[in-house]
Amino acid sequence: AQSVSQHNHHVILSEAASLELGCNYSYGGTVNLFWYVQYPGQHLQLLLKYFSGDPLVKGIKGFEAEFIKSKFSFNLRKPSVQWSDTAEYFCAVNARNGGYNKLIFGAGTRLAVHP
Amino acid sequence: ETGVTQSPTHLIKTRGQQVTLRCSSQSGHNTVSWYQQALGQGPQFIFQYYREEENGRGNFPPRFSGLQFPNYSSELNVNALELDDSALYLCASSLAPGGGETQYFGPGTRLLVL
């Protein structure tokens, strides 16, 4: 069965620390990969996505993610976090050639950044 | 450009009742998907609507049903509510139904079943 695993449920960092959130997926076919973010009191927003091409993807607000096909991973990184990055982060995957768009989400990682 | 909107924002129902949640898709988007997000979990796919028909479904029983209207807005109906149906229900719209499209989410409707 298709699944997405996010290794850290809660992460606490100080401002300016580096961030890496792990994401592994299990799926037999070719996939599209996403990171969504949910800031406190706001709706899910797309942070970045990978469909094809360069496996290092840059998103909004200085975030990037690297697709490593051999490891079935799509880890999210940011070199220096800010207090405003406090949010919940979700990794998601869908089938690239699927007839319909079923996103499979991980359980999420709650990030708290202290000033 | 108007984003995805959902109504109501919050709802309280009792077990056995029926509920209807509404979603307006983002301008220009013809495909709507619904997700259930239980507390502490990621969203789970319920179904997707395209051209007023259900064109994909997740692991949810038939008491979860939906509609899509000619203006691409959508409804999610849940019959015979159970306590476990308490969750945040998210609507997402996209330009087309295929797997290569990005989904844009609304703010959600929080349902509490007592």
Side-chain angles (χ1 to χ4, degrees), chain A residues 23-107:
Chain A
C23 172
N24 286 90
Y25 67 93
S26 170
Y27 185 74
T30 307
V31 297
N32 300 313
L33 297 152
F34 305 82
W35 276 96
Y36 282 87
V37 60
Q38 190 166 32
Y39 297 102
Q42 297 187 28
H43 59 277
L44 272 174
Q45 300 173 39
L46 182 68
L47 203 52
L48 49 78
K49 61 186 179 184
Y50 172 80
F51 282 7
S52 64
D54 188 344
L56 184 62
V57 179
K58 294 196 184 299
I60 60 171
K61 304 188 179 185
F63 285 91
E64 64 178 31
E66 185 176 12
F67 170 51
I68 304 179
K69 190 175 180 180
S70 60
K71 294 185 178 181
F72 297 91
S73 71
F74 190 55
N75 292 354
L76 181 71
R77 300 194 291 248
K78 186 171 184 179
S80 176
V81 295
Q82 300 173 316
W83 176 78
S84 58
D85 293 325
T86 294
E88 189 157 21
Y89 293 81
F90 293 94
C91 180
V93 61
N94 72 5
R96 182 173 301 171
N97 297 318
Y100 63 93
N101 197 340
K102 173 185 175 181
L103 280 172
I104 298 168
F105 283 86

Side-chain angles (χ1 to χ4, degrees), chain B residues 20-99:
Chain B
T20 297
L21 310 181
R22 294 177 176 83
C23 170
S24 290
S25 62
Q26 186 168 311
S27 176
H29 289 189
N30 62 17
T31 304
V32 173
S33 302
W34 286 91
Y35 291 80
Q36 181 196 66
Q37 186 177 10
L39 207 58
Q41 298 181 25
Q44 288 193 51
F45 177 77
I46 302 174
F47 43 54
Q48 180 179 79
Y49 274 82
Y50 172 62
R51 292 184 175 175
E52 302 176 50
E53 290 190 2
E54 182 183 298
N55 78 324
R57 190 178 184 94
N59 224 9
F60 281 81
R63 58 190 186 83
F64 285 79
S65 63
L67 285 173
Q68 186 180 33
F69 301 98
N71 66 354
Y72 307 131
S73 67
S74 176
E75 284 182 357
L76 164 65
N77 299 291
V78 187
N79 293 322
L81 283 167
E82 300 176 1
L83 296 179
D84 283 350
D85 295 334
S86 295
L88 181 67
Y89 288 85
L90 298 169
C91 169
S93 73
S94 54
L95 282 169

Side-chain angles (χ1 to χ4, degrees), chain B residues 95-110:
Chain B
L95 282 169
E101 298 295 329
T102 299
Q103 294 186 33
Y104 296 89
F105 285 82
T109 294
R110 192 165 293 280

